[in-house]
Amino acid sequence: MAAVLRFLIAVLLFSSIATASLSQEEEEFSEELLLKPLADRKVLAHFHFESKAPPTRTYGHHHRLFPKALYQLVQKFRIREMELSFTQGRWNYERWGGFDPISSSNAKPPGVELWAVFDVPHDLVDASWKNLTHTLSGLFCASINFLESSTAYSAPDWGFQPFSGSLRYGSLPREAVCTENLTPWLKLLPCRDKAGLATLMDRPSIYRGFYHSQRLRLSSTEFGSTEVESGIALDQTLTVVLQPTTSHRASMTYSSDSVLQPSWSLSSIFGRKVSGRCVLANSSNVYVQVERGLMSELKILHAEDEGSGADNLTFEKTWNNPGFELSIAPNRVIKEVNILHDETSIVLYEYLIDNYSNSEPFDLGFTWKFPVVWSSPQAPLHASRFLMGSGNERGAIAISLKATEPSDGLWFADTIENSCMLRFNVFQVVPWYVRVYFHTLQVFVDGKPQSVTDFIERMRISPSEDKVSPGVMEMALKLPCCVKSVTLTLEFDKGFLHIDEYPPDANQGFDIPSAVISFPDFHASMHFLKDDSLNKSPLLSKFQIPRRLVGLVSCYPSCLLS
Amino acid sequence: MEEEKETTTTTTKKKQCFWTWALASVIFRLVLIHFSRNLNLASRPEVSTPLTSLRRLAEGYWLKQSSISPYAGSMYHGSPLLLSILGPLTVQRGEGQYNHLICSLLFVIADFMTAVLIRATGQNLQMAYNQSLKSLGIVRLLERSEMLASGDIAALVYLWNPLTIVTCVGSSTSPIENLVIVLSLYGACRRLVPLAAFGWVIATHLSLYPAILIVPLILILGYGPDSPRRKLFQQRASIKVGENPSTDIHYQQKELASQPMLPLRFSWRLVVHFILWASLWSCYVLLLCGISVRQYGGLGEMFKSTYGFILTVPDLSPNIGVLWYFFAEVFDYFRNFFLIVFHVNILFMILPLAIRLNHRPCFLAFVYIAISSLLKSYPSVGDSALYLGLLGLFVEELADMQFSFFLFCGYVGISFLSPVMHNLWIWRGTGNANFYFATAMAYACFQIILVVESVSAMLNHDRMLRKLSIMKP
C-alpha cells in the first residue's frame, strides 16, 4: 500500500500512525488489505504486500524474508526499478474512480505490462531487457519472453515517465492471466497463501471478479545511483473488483426507487476468513475505505435522520451510522483532513489482524442499511481510444479526451501564465504492422480541427520499422481549461504479415497496446490514467489454399522463358 | 513533288488531329483531378505502390522536416531528390489545397511530355525504318505504312490509356519514372547522348529496374534505331554487287556506307560517350543524394531503403504483382533463394533477347520494360501504361500479332475484376486473398502472352521482310 500511504501522507493527517522505528538493517514484510465499496454495487479489494531488504553492502547476500529469486534478478540485471502487471478486465474509470491512488497507480492495461529501468551502460540495456524478459517468463509462467523481440518493446524518452533514461517498456495486450501466474507470485510471499491476508485469495472467487490485476514492483538503490541506500523494496499488489452475491435482502426496494446495495462480508466475497496474521509480517492490517462522495451522501442522510445540529465529527467517527454498519468495531478510524474539502472527507477504518487467531477468525461484514447513490472522484480527463474506418487496408486511430465534471481543486491554474492550463502527456506504442502516417496527425479541439503546433508543446516520434521496431509517439499537450474535448487522430495503413507472423487466432484481430496518459502537474504524477480501450483491428486475410498456388506462381516465369 | 505535297497536307491534318486529342486528354485529366478527392485513387494498390505512393512521400517529407531521417520507419522508399522536389508540394495548407493541385498538375505535365517524347521517338523510328525499307527496295510495305503515323498512335495510346489516366490522377510518382525512361529512349534515338544518359541514370535512380535498359540504349546508339536484320542489307548489297557490272560496285558500296541510318558497323564512339556521360550523371546524382541524406545515415542508408527495399520485398501489401503473395507464404528458410530466383529471372532474359532482337533495340527496350513490369517486386498499372504506350510504336510491325483481341479483352476484364476482388477481400471481408491473387495471376499471364506474342509477331515480320527482299531483289 505504498501508493496509498504516500497519498495519505500527502493529504491526510494521521491521528497516530505506528511509525515503528524502521531500523535499516532488518528485512521487513508487511501485509495490508484495503476494502472499498464501489458506487456500482461492487467491492474493491486491494491486497498489498511489501518486502524490504537492506542494502547488500551492509547486510550481505542472505535473506530471511526477501525472495531469493527476485534478489538475484535485481543483482544480475542491475535493475533500478521494475514493474510487472498481469491484468484481466478493464478498470472502469467512470464508476470506480480515476483520481485516487488505487486507480491511478494500480489500474493497469489488460494483459501483461512490463517496464524496467536498468542501471547499465546504454548499449547493454537491450541485452539486459531481453534476459530479464526470459527470466520473468520462467518465473511467472507467462509468455513475457515475447517481449524480447524488438518489435514488442520500446524505449520511451519522457512520455511514460519523466526521468526515464534506460527505461524499456513493453506490453502484451492479449496475454491471458490465470492462476498459473498467481501461484508463482504468491510464492514470493514469506507465508505464501498459507497464513495471513493471502489466505483470502481463493482462486475461484478472485478470478470471478470484474477486474483482476496483480502487480509486482521492484525498486532498488543497490547500484549507488542515489546517496541514500535503502536496499531493495518489493511491492506486490493484487487488485480485484468483485460483485458481492446478492442475498435475499438486496431485493428489498425502498420508496425512493433505489435498490439497497448488496451487503458483503469477507467470507461472502472470498469464501474464506482470515485466521490470524502471517507471523513473519511486521504489520498485518485491513482497512475499509469510505469514499468522499459516499461520506457526503451519508452526512445528508444523517442530517435528515437526526435533524439539524448533529455533530459531524462524532458521526464520522462511528462505525455504525445510518448508511451502513460494520460488523466489527475498527481498531482505529483515520480521517482525511483536507483543506479543499473541509465538509466531507475520506474515512478509513483500520483493523489489526494481530488480535485474531484460528479459533477466532476475522470476518468483517459490511451491511448496508439504507440505499445510497454516490459517484467516485473523476480524473480531469476521460480518455478513450477508438478506430475509425472500415476494411482491412487502412484506418485511423483516434484518442479522444473529454473533460470530466470540473471539480474545483483539480484544475490547478498555471500561475505563471495567469491562465488555467492543463498539461498532459500521451504515450502510445503501435506495433509495426500498424503503419502510422505521422504527417496526418490532426488535433480536434471541441470538434474543430486546429493547428497541431498550437496545442502540442513537444512531440517525440520514432516511426516503426517493419519487423524491427514498433512506432512510439510521445506528445506533451497543453490545453486551456475551458476546453471540453480534444481528439487526436492519426491515419494508418494495416501491414500485411508473413504467414508465420500471424497469432494463433488471427480473426480475433490484433491488439494495439494501451496508450498511457499522464498528468505531470498533478502531485508528482500521482495521477495516472490508463485509457480503457483496447483496439481490435482485424488485420487480414485467410491464406487458405497456400501451397498449391505457390506452385503456380513459381511455374509461370518458366512459361515466359519458353 | 506532288506526292510530297500530299503527304505534307495529310501530315498537317494528322498533326492537328493529334494535338486536339492530346489537349483533350489533358483537359480530361484536369477534370478528373478536380474530383480526385472523391475518386480516392491514391490509395488503390493498383495505382500506388510503396515505392510510388505520394502519401508515403509526404510522410518522408514530414519526417525530414522534423529532422528525422526520411527513411526511418520504413515508410518512404523513394529517391531523396524526388523528396526535395515533390515534398514541399505535399504539405497541406489549410483550406486552399493549392499545393496538392500543383503536384497533380506536375504529373499531368509529365504525362503530356512523355506522350510528346513518345511521338517524337516514333517519328524518328518511322523515318529510319522507311529509309531502311527503301534501301531494301520493299515498297509494298511502305505504301501501307504511309497511312499510319506510329508515333501519333503511340502517344495517343499512352495519353488515353485508362491506366495512365488513373496513375496520373491517383498521384503516384510513376508518371515521372515513365517520363525519364521515355526521355532516355528519345535521347538515344535522336543520338543525344547526354540526354539518353541522363534519362537512364535518373530512371535507374528512381526505380532500379530501368538499369537493364542500358543494353537497348547501347544498341540504339551503336547500330541506330530499329531496322530489318543487318544480314538482309549485306545480302542485298552482295546481290547488287553480283548483278551489276564492276563499274557500279564502288558507287553501290559508297551508297551503302553513306546511309547514316544503316550502320553495319557498331559505332563505339557514341557508346563510349554514353558510358562517360552516364558515369558523370550518376556521380552527380549520387553527390546530390549524398548532400540531401548527409545527416541521416548517408548513401548507405539510402541504398538500403530504396534498392534494398526493392530487392528484398519486405512489404507484403497486396498489389497487382505476384511476389507479395508468394513471399507472404514462402518459408523463411527459402526466402533468399526465391528472391534470387525472381530477380535473376529478369537478368536471364536480357542476353537471349538482346541477341535475338539486336537489330530492333527499341522493341527490345519495350520487351525489357514489359518483362520488368511483370516481374518487379512492386508493380503498378503505371508500368503497364508505359509499355502499352510503347507498343503503339510498333503498330506496323505487329499488325499480324495473334490474340490481340483476346489480350485487349483480358486487360479490360482484369482492370474491372481486380478492384472488385480487392473490395471483396479487404473491405467486405467476404472474399479472401486468393480472390485477388487470382486476378493478379491472370494479369501476369496476359502480360506474358502479350510479350511472347509481340516477340513472335516481330520475328515473323522479320521473316517476311527477308522473304520479300530475297524474292524481289
Side-chain angles (χ1 to χ4, degrees):
Chain A
M1 202 172 285
V4 176
L5 286 182
R6 241 188 292 141
F7 179 66
L8 293 179
I9 290 161
V11 194
L12 306 185
L13 277 181
F14 287 85
S15 49
S16 64
I17 186 136
T19 46
S21 56
L22 304 167
S23 62
Q24 287 294 316
E25 296 307 309
E26 271 300 312
E27 287 175 58
E28 286 174 42
F29 173 73
S30 61
E31 51 179 10
E32 287 149 319
L33 166 65
L34 178 90
L35 295 160
K36 185 167 108 176
L38 294 171
D40 63 341
R41 307 163 63 81
K42 298 189 177 66
V43 179
L44 170 91
H46 178 72
F47 293 88
H48 179 242
F49 305 94
E50 188 175 18
S51 317
K52 274 182 187 160
T56 312
R57 204 156 46 84
T58 52
Y59 189 79
H61 291 281
H62 298 286
H63 297 89
R64 196 167 56 89
L65 295 176
F66 198 84
K68 189 179 174 187
L70 288 183
Y71 176 75
Q72 286 175 342
L73 196 82
V74 169
Q75 290 295 329
K76 188 166 183 200
F77 304 119
R78 301 181 67 85
I79 294 165
R80 201 186 299 158
E81 231 177 327
M82 185 193 96
E83 188 174 309
L84 171 69
S85 67
F86 296 87
T87 308
Q88 206 153 35
R90 259 174 238 171
W91 183 262
N92 189 333
Y93 281 95
E94 281 172 87
R95 288 177 167 182
W96 303 341
F99 200 62
D100 52 330
I102 299 280
S103 63
S104 58
S105 64
N106 291 299
K108 289 285 171 190
V112 168
E113 187 199 51
L114 172 69
W115 61 266
V117 184
F118 298 93
D119 201 353
V120 292
H122 271 285
D123 49 332
L124 294 176
V125 175
D126 284 329
S128 299
W129 168 266
K130 283 172 187 175
N131 288 328
L132 174 69
T133 55
H134 277 274
T135 315
L136 288 175
S137 175
L139 206 56
F140 288 101
C141 303
S143 29
I144 307 173
N145 56 321
F146 286 138
L147 290 175
E148 176 213 30
S149 130
S150 62
T151 54
Y153 70 89
S154 57
D157 200 12
W158 44 265
F160 181 67
Q161 275 194 351
F163 58 84
S164 53
S166 46
L167 187 141
R168 292 291 177 273
Y169 173 91
S171 65
L172 298 168
R174 193 65 95 63
E175 182 74 11
V177 180
C178 201
T179 53
E180 60 183 11
N181 308 121
L182 184 68
T183 310
W185 184 85
L186 283 171
K187 274 188 183 172
L188 302 174
L189 302 175
C191 299
R192 303 203 172 176
D193 57 346
K194 300 287 180 261
L197 294 175
T199 47
L200 286 175
M201 291 180 197
D202 174 44
R203 306 298 191 280
S205 34
I206 60 169
Y207 283 102
R208 199 192 294 142
F210 288 77
Y211 177 81
H212 171 96
S213 172
Q214 88 188 49
R215 196 168 69 101
L216 178 141
R217 188 186 171 118
L218 269 173
S219 57
S220 81
T221 52
E222 287 280 292
F223 309 106
S225 53
T226 50
E227 286 172 14
V228 186
E229 278 201 11
S230 52
I232 309 171
L234 166 68
D235 279 325
Q236 286 174 269
T237 63
L238 176 76
T239 312
V240 281
V241 173
L242 300 169
Q243 175 79 66
T245 44
T246 43
S247 61
H248 59 283
R249 275 194 62 189
S251 56
M252 204 193 304
T253 46
Y254 280 74
S255 55
S256 57
D257 281 341
S258 50
V259 185
L260 192 68
Q261 296 250 1
S263 301
W264 48 267
S265 67
L266 283 184
S267 55
S268 79
I269 56 173
F270 293 113
R272 299 206 182 156
K273 295 170 185 172
V274 183
S275 51
R277 69 191 183 99
C278 170
V279 284
L280 296 166
N282 289 21
S283 67
S284 179
N285 301 335
V286 173
Y287 298 89
V288 176
Q289 187 193 342
V290 180
E291 281 181 317
R292 188 181 298 133
L294 173 57
M295 226 50 217
S296 63
E297 287 291 326
L298 289 178
K299 195 180 281 175
I300 294 163
L301 207 65
H302 183 73
E304 280 171 3
D305 266 20
E306 307 269 316
S308 55
D311 192 354
N312 281 337
L313 210 76
T314 51
F315 150 70
E316 270 162 3
K317 289 268 187 211
T318 56
W319 48 276
N320 186 356
N321 61 36
F324 60 86
E325 185 183 354
L326 292 164
S327 67
I328 305 167
N331 295 63
R332 191 162 57 216
V333 178
I334 303 166
K335 189 190 153 211
E336 174 200 37
V337 174
N338 195 330
I339 313 122
L340 290 163
H341 302 273
D342 46 18
E343 285 296 306
T344 54
S345 52
I346 299 167
V347 175
L348 276 182
Y349 299 96
E350 186 185 311
Y351 296 89
L352 304 174
I353 303 299
D354 307 22
N355 311 336
Y356 298 90
S357 65
N358 221 345
S359 55
E360 190 200 347
F362 175 75
D363 182 14
L364 177 69
F366 188 101
T367 316
W368 290 95
K369 294 199 287 193
F370 205 79
V372 187
V373 178
W374 77 98
S375 65
S376 298
Q378 298 289 310
L381 294 170
H382 178 73
S384 58
R385 194 180 58 172
F386 48 91
L387 278 188
M388 300 194 294
S390 64
N392 277 329
E393 195 180 17
R394 58 181 182 271
I397 260 186
I399 297 174
S400 149
L401 300 142
K402 285 201 185 76
T404 49
E405 294 272 306
S407 50
D408 28 277
L410 294 187
W411 300 90
F412 296 106
D414 189 342
T415 45
I416 308 153
E417 287 177 33
N418 205 13
S419 62
C420 171
M421 286 298 218
L422 176 69
R423 281 199 177 81
F424 59 95
N425 296 337
V426 178
F427 169 63
Q428 168 79 67
V429 180
V430 283
W432 68 265
Y433 43 77
V434 177
R435 296 200 181 117
V436 177
Y437 288 96
F438 289 106
H439 77 273
T440 58
L441 175 68
Q442 277 181 299
V443 179
F444 293 89
V445 176
D446 291 335
K448 292 186 203 83
Q450 299 282 347
S451 155
V452 171
T453 44
D454 291 355
F455 293 94
I456 295 182
E457 276 193 317
R458 58 175 174 160
M459 181 158 66
R460 184 182 155 268
I461 300 284
S462 74
S464 63
E465 194 116 341
D466 281 3
K467 294 170 196 186
V468 174
S469 64
V472 183
M473 182 176 72
E474 294 166 68
M475 280 192 285
L477 283 97
K478 196 168 106 176
L479 290 175
C481 295
C482 55
V483 166
K484 291 274 181 298
S485 75
V486 187
T487 310
L488 304 166
T489 63
L490 276 169
E491 289 174 30
F492 64 86
D493 276 354
K494 293 176 186 171
F496 285 74
L497 305 180
H498 185 264
I499 203 159
D500 292 347
E501 291 163 334
Y502 282 91
D505 190 2
N507 284 323
Q508 262 187 46
F510 293 75
D511 297 337
I512 300 175
S514 291
V516 180
I517 294 159
S518 52
F519 300 91
D521 287 350
F522 287 96
H523 283 320
S525 156
M526 165 195 97
H527 205 69
F528 205 54
L529 163 85
K530 298 259 158 109
D531 91 336
D532 55 351
S533 75
L534 173 92
N535 270 304
K536 297 226 162 158
S537 59
L539 264 172
L540 269 239
S541 92
K542 295 159 194 157
F543 287 97
Q544 279 172 342
I545 330 172
R547 295 297 146 202
R548 213 154 15 115
L549 279 178
V550 168
L552 270 174
V553 181
S554 43
C555 82
Y556 90 88
S558 56
C559 305
L560 180 57
L561 269 174
S562 68
Chain B
M1 288 297 282
E2 277 177 14
E3 265 189 358
E4 268 180 25
K5 250 185 196 173
E6 267 178 30
T7 49
T8 46
T9 47
T10 48
T11 46
T12 45
K13 249 184 208 170
K14 268 180 200 162
K15 251 182 199 169
Q16 277 176 353
C17 188
F18 170 76
W19 289 115
T20 31
W21 279 105
L23 282 178
S25 79
V26 169
I27 289 163
F28 184 62
R29 279 174 167 76
L30 293 178
V31 169
L32 283 183
I33 282 167
H34 188 250
F35 300 112
S36 64
R37 202 145 282 267
N38 302 336
L39 289 171
N40 213 0
L41 287 169
S43 54
R44 300 293 317 167
E46 295 89 2
V47 176
S48 60
T49 66
L51 288 170
T52 62
S53 161
L54 199 68
R55 198 154 170 245
R56 287 179 179 245
L57 193 141
E59 176 75 3
Y61 184 70
W62 188 86
L63 288 176
K64 200 181 170 190
Q65 290 302 99
S66 29
S67 60
I68 306 172
S69 162
Y71 298 115
S74 44
M75 248 327 173
Y76 182 59
H77 302 285
S79 138
L81 302 181
L82 216 54
L83 197 68
S84 20
I85 296 166
L86 292 180
L89 301 180
T90 57
V91 182
Q92 299 208 348
R93 281 199 195 126
E95 303 286 305
Q97 303 291 328
Y98 221 58
N99 287 332
H100 202 72
L101 275 183
I102 294 172
C103 203
S104 305
L105 219 61
L106 204 71
F107 293 133
V108 174
I109 292 166
D111 256 6
F112 185 71
M113 278 171 68
T114 311
V116 170
L117 287 175
I118 287 178
R119 181 167 177 260
T121 315
Q123 283 168 349
N124 197 3
L125 276 182
Q126 205 168 23
M127 239 159 56
Y129 196 63
N130 288 351
Q131 223 162 349
S132 56
L133 283 189
K134 260 180 199 164
S135 71
L136 280 179
I138 308 166
V139 197
R140 198 170 61 85
L141 278 174
L142 280 177
E143 282 165 0
R144 199 178 70 183
S145 67
E146 288 296 337
M147 310 301 290
L148 298 164
S150 61
D152 292 6
I153 291 170
L156 286 181
V157 164
Y158 183 76
L159 276 179
W160 279 103
N161 189 344
L163 303 181
T164 326
I165 295 172
V166 158
T167 312
C168 178
V169 176
S171 34
S172 77
T173 57
S174 23
I176 292 173
E177 289 168 17
N178 291 350
L179 172 67
V180 284
I181 291 173
V182 172
L183 190 72
S184 70
L185 285 180
Y186 169 78
C189 283
R190 277 286 163 97
R191 314 215 143 202
L192 302 168
V193 176
L195 193 68
F198 174 76
W200 179 73
V201 166
I202 297 288
T204 309
H205 172 63
L206 290 182
S207 62
L208 189 62
Y209 290 98
I212 58 171
L213 289 182
I214 193 167
V215 179
L217 287 178
I218 284 177
L219 286 175
I220 296 174
L221 289 171
Y223 287 126
D226 293 19
S227 61
R229 308 198 68 172
R230 275 178 292 281
K231 230 196 273 176
L232 291 186
F233 294 105
Q234 286 164 357
Q235 280 173 359
R236 187 165 172 80
S238 59
I239 289 165
K240 275 189 175 175
V241 168
E243 277 177 356
N244 295 350
S246 55
T247 48
D248 280 347
I249 288 177
H250 294 288
Y251 173 70
Q252 284 287 343
Q253 274 176 346
K254 247 182 214 167
E255 195 192 356
L256 275 180
S258 65
Q259 277 174 352
M261 290 305 164
L262 312 168
L264 297 180
R265 278 169 300 133
F266 193 75
S267 77
W268 285 104
R269 197 176 52 86
L270 281 177
V271 173
V272 170
H273 275 196
F274 176 78
I275 288 166
L276 283 178
W277 272 105
S279 46
L280 194 72
W281 281 119
S282 34
C283 285
Y284 185 58
V285 165
L286 284 182
L287 184 75
L288 285 182
C289 290
I291 290 169
S292 64
V293 295
R294 188 167 21 123
Q295 65 253 48
Y296 312 118
L299 286 176
E301 186 68 27
M302 185 195 87
F303 281 124
K304 212 179 112 196
S305 52
T306 52
Y307 292 172
F309 183 75
I310 293 172
L311 292 176
T312 55
V313 202
D315 193 322
L316 301 174
S317 324
N319 52 37
I320 53 170
V322 283
L323 266 67
W324 62 274
Y325 192 93
F326 189 83
F327 286 111
E329 294 196 355
V330 76
F331 291 125
D332 264 339
Y333 182 75
F334 296 112
R335 190 182 162 87
N336 290 334
F337 171 70
F338 281 109
L339 278 176
I340 292 168
V341 166
F342 273 101
H343 289 111
V344 165
N345 219 326
I346 299 180
L347 297 180
F348 270 155
M349 313 257 180
I350 291 178
L351 198 63
L353 285 169
I355 291 169
R356 194 75 186 79
L357 291 170
N358 69 344
H359 57 290
R360 292 188 180 276
C362 278
F363 184 71
L364 183 66
F366 154 75
V367 174
Y368 281 176
I369 290 168
I371 286 174
S372 65
S373 91
L374 165 66
L375 288 174
K376 79 198 291 190
S377 35
Y378 308 101
S380 71
V381 292
D383 306 312
S384 314
L386 178 65
Y387 73 72
L388 289 177
L390 291 180
L391 188 66
L393 290 176
F394 313 102
V395 68
E396 296 164 33
E397 291 89 334
L398 300 181
D400 305 326
M401 195 172 122
Q402 279 184 310
F403 303 128
S404 48
F405 181 68
F406 172 68
L407 279 173
F408 175 75
C409 293
Y411 270 80
V412 171
I414 293 300
S415 47
F416 281 112
L417 268 182
S418 173
V420 171
M421 292 306 173
H422 190 259
N423 186 289
L424 280 183
W425 171 35
I426 297 287
W427 295 98
R428 272 159 224 280
T430 47
N432 61 36
N434 302 309
F435 283 49
Y436 185 65
F437 182 64
T439 61
M441 292 263 292
Y443 178 66
C445 290
F446 281 116
Q447 280 176 308
I448 293 167
I449 295 172
L450 178 79
V451 170
V452 169
E453 283 307 316
S454 60
V455 169
S456 63
M458 188 54 94
L459 295 180
N460 283 338
H461 183 76
D462 276 348
R463 267 177 222 130
M464 190 191 70
L465 284 183
R466 199 188 62 189
K467 270 181 199 162
L468 284 176
S469 70
I470 288 170
M471 282 166 71
K472 292 178 186 172

